[in-house]
Amino acid sequence: MNKHNPKNPVMLVHGIWDTRDIFNKIYPTLTELGWSVYSLNLIPNDSSVGLDRLAEQLRDFIEQTLGGDRPFDLIGFSMGGIVSRYYLQRLGGIERVERFISISAPNQGTVTAYALPLPGCLQMRPKSPFLEDLNRDAVEMLGRVNYTSIWTPYDSMIIPAKSSQLPVGKEVILPVLVHRWMVSDRRCLQVIAETLSEPLRVNPEVS
């Protein structure tokens, strides 16, 4: 943590068919409140490669921009929430990330992923081997960070919407009408800022 800025850097990870431009509300909001904010364009963004491959891009970008050991906070939207989880749970990110926020992420899969037979979509289907593997140790792994899941019951991209739930961390449900609006809705931005400001929880089971 930088002694001149006690706030952790924040990394933003976008979803399918999106670019970092989806965060054009979150980025200035957090910057004005004193956070250093970073994001990248996942390539390709259409799930034509596996989410594990995209997570490797995320890992490399983090190492290039934040160095190899600086603590930071992570926010993943939609597919980006699963990319972020793979980085956390399988690529060593858990050793650096202190707060993790997933926004409308298909943590339990989404039936909309049946629309395309692409590698990333296959991984986001309900009960896919990829998600089953991540969810097997989700409570143990995500219990080591301040984890928050933000989602809307009106989501037509994540079906069922409650797929964003995980039995760990904190849950915030917001009545936002459209999936993409989650990252620009004033209430969601407020929750994000408040969550990033929360003191780190101490897990007595983690040394």
Side-chain angles (χ1 to χ4, degrees):
M1 183 178 294
N2 187 329
K3 65 181 179 180
H4 300 297
N5 183 3
K7 299 177 185 290
N8 278 349
V10 178
M11 185 67 62
L12 306 175
V13 187
H14 67 76
I16 190 170
W17 305 313
D18 290 328
T19 68
R20 56 188 292 183
D21 292 342
I22 190 80
F23 298 122
N24 62 1
K25 296 293 187 185
I26 294 180
Y27 196 100
T29 297
L30 294 182
T31 300
E32 289 170 10
L33 292 172
W35 277 278
S36 298
V37 186
Y38 302 85
S39 58
L40 77 162
N41 287 325
L42 299 172
I43 301 172
N45 65 356
D46 59 1
S47 84
S48 59
V49 301
L51 307 192
D52 46 327
R53 294 267 303 279
L54 298 181
E56 292 170 358
Q57 288 183 32
L58 174 61
R59 176 198 60 198
D60 294 345
F61 180 78
I62 288 167
E63 291 176 356
Q64 292 165 9
T65 56
L66 299 180
D69 56 3
R70 186 179 183 186
F72 67 97
D73 298 333
L74 183 62
I75 300 176
F77 170 58
S78 194
M79 178 187 77
I82 306 302
V83 172
S84 297
R85 282 186 58 196
Y86 193 88
Y87 164 73
L88 276 166
Q89 295 178 238
R90 298 292 177 264
L91 298 180
I94 198 71
E95 303 300 330
R96 300 185 55 186
V97 173
E98 295 187 333
R99 298 172 184 85
F100 171 45
I101 302 172
S102 67
I103 303 172
S104 294
N107 288 314
Q108 310 293 340
T110 172
V111 299
T112 57
Y114 285 101
L116 296 170
L118 298 174
C121 287
L122 294 175
Q123 291 173 331
M124 289 189 286
R125 292 177 179 178
K127 299 187 182 302
S128 72
F130 182 83
L131 287 178
E132 294 281 275
D133 175 68
L134 280 183
N135 289 340
R136 193 168 294 117
D137 62 357
V139 171
E140 173 192 354
M141 296 289 282
L142 298 183
R144 295 170 58 184
V145 302
N146 277 30
Y147 172 59
T148 301
S149 172
I150 308 173
W151 60 282
T152 172
Y154 303 115
D155 208 315
S156 59
M157 178 67 74
I158 309 301
I159 302 175
K162 65 180 181 180
S163 170
S164 292
Q165 294 179 307
L166 280 175
V168 60
K170 185 175 71 173
E171 178 179 68
V172 179
I173 304 172
L174 299 174
V176 178
L177 297 180
V178 177
H179 181 73
R180 292 176 60 85
W181 291 358
M182 287 293 286
V183 290
S184 59
D185 185 272
R186 175 185 52 80
R187 295 161 296 183
C188 190
L189 298 180
Q190 181 177 351
V191 170
I192 291 169
E194 291 173 352
T195 301
L196 293 176
S197 300
E198 291 177 352
L200 296 175
R201 294 188 292 269
V202 177
N203 186 341
E205 297 180 1
V206 178
S207 57

